[in-house]
Amino acid sequence: MTTTLAIANQKGGVAKTTTVASLGAALAELGQRVLLVDLDPQACLTFSLGIDPEDLELSVHHVLTKGLAPGEAVIATEDGVDLLPATIELARAEADLLTRTGREHVLKMALEDLAAGEAGGHDWVLLDCPPSLGVLTVAALTAADGVLIPLQCETLSHRGVGQLLDTVHDVRRFTNRGLEVWGVLPTLYDGRTNHARAVLDNISETYELEVIEPPIPKSIRFAEAPAAGRSILSTARSNRGANAYRDVAANLLERAGRST
């Protein structure tokens, strides 16, 4: 079975894309077959994995709005994961999908078609959601088994969590009754400050969300990795941040009931 996990937070700058790339690479290291889906028109995930969006003729935009078979757009990457890439064309998808019947299910159907057309398919599909609560994010939540919320450990960064949870509630009511919130993943964490821990405690108490351990520490290595077109697990294998994502990946495997 495939586990589909949406990585979502409508606030930008909380390491969503870094989390998708790094978790994908960590799961691949553990022997899992992984597909990453870039749903952000900025295409940061695509670029971070060494692919220039401007060089692409086919992308997730064509899958969602033109009926392209998803397998025709999937690319293998050097990090050992497959990628359904994005380009700036995806910015038009919100408008294209607004008037389409069943728009919430378009990604779910594409992923089902992809799984049906492959020998064995993927063990994990990680969805890099855009920093908004629009059509693409709702489609991702509709396609997902669970949602993981990266959260920078600062007071202002968690003000939108309630809005995201409201959207999750609506998705559960109307399009995906089985959607689960897997928890909050602390990112850009500075363990030297009491403030960071206080923010985490406040989140777990206010929203009754599980905090996924370990927190992902701040590191300049995360900013350096995209320039190399690889994840931090390839560019700085022994870095604390890389090892933290490995631990999180192992925890997610256990939650999903998988063995390595």
Side-chain angles (χ1 to χ4, degrees):
M1 290 184 61
T2 301
T3 300
T4 302
L5 192 61
I7 313 301
N9 187 330
Q10 72 269 32
K11 185 180 185 303
V14 297
K16 283 193 303 294
T17 296
T18 296
T19 294
V20 172
S22 302
L23 277 182
L27 288 166
E29 281 188 355
L30 293 171
Q32 301 292 292
R33 297 163 296 176
V34 182
L35 172 68
L36 309 183
V37 181
D38 192 348
L39 293 172
D40 190 341
Q42 298 179 74
C44 291
L45 177 63
T46 299
F47 179 82
S48 296
L49 293 176
I51 298 159
D52 187 344
E54 295 186 5
D55 292 338
L56 294 173
E57 294 185 5
L58 301 175
S59 69
V60 68
H61 169 74
H62 298 88
V63 173
L64 299 181
T65 66
K66 308 295 184 183
L68 178 74
E72 295 187 32
V74 171
I75 299 171
T77 72
E78 294 185 13
D79 271 287
V81 300
D82 292 332
L83 172 69
L84 186 52
T87 68
I88 191 61
E89 287 182 297
L90 191 59
R92 299 202 307 265
E94 294 269 350
D96 291 344
L97 292 171
L98 272 176
T99 57
R100 180 173 298 186
T101 302
R103 59 186 176 272
E104 298 91 351
H105 296 275
V106 64
L107 179 60
K108 178 181 176 66
M109 294 174 62
L111 295 176
E112 289 176 351
D113 289 345
L114 183 63
E118 288 186 283
H122 297 92
D123 299 306
W124 290 82
V125 177
L126 304 184
L127 309 174
D128 187 15
C129 297
S132 70
L133 294 177
V135 172
L136 292 174
T137 296
V138 171
L141 295 175
T142 300
D145 301 303
V147 55
L148 181 66
I149 307 171
L151 183 75
Q152 184 178 1
C153 297
E154 293 182 357
T155 300
L156 291 178
S157 71
H158 74 74
R159 294 183 64 187
V161 172
Q163 292 174 292
L164 175 59
L165 294 178
D166 287 342
T167 300
V168 168
H169 175 72
D170 288 342
V171 167
R172 281 176 174 156
R173 286 185 63 198
F174 299 113
T175 62
N176 184 4
R177 292 187 179 275
L179 180 64
E180 297 181 0
V181 178
W182 282 29
V184 169
L185 176 64
T187 60
L188 303 167
Y189 183 74
D190 186 349
R192 299 170 298 179
T193 68
N194 293 329
H195 176 67
R197 178 54 66 178
V199 167
L200 281 188
D201 291 342
N202 179 261
I203 282 290
S204 60
E205 292 173 5
T206 302
Y207 301 108
E208 298 182 352
L209 295 177
E210 179 181 348
V211 176
I212 306 296
E213 299 285 350
I216 308 300
K218 282 185 177 180
S219 173
I220 188 62
R221 298 293 188 182
F222 286 118
E224 296 171 348
R230 303 290 297 274
S231 74
I232 192 175
L233 277 74
S234 297
T235 60
R237 291 192 56 81
S238 59
N239 179 266
R240 288 190 307 126
N243 287 329
Y245 274 115
R246 289 187 179 99
D247 290 341
V248 171
N251 290 337
L252 295 183
L253 275 176
E254 183 177 353
R255 172 165 186 151
R258 298 182 186 276
S259 58
T260 59

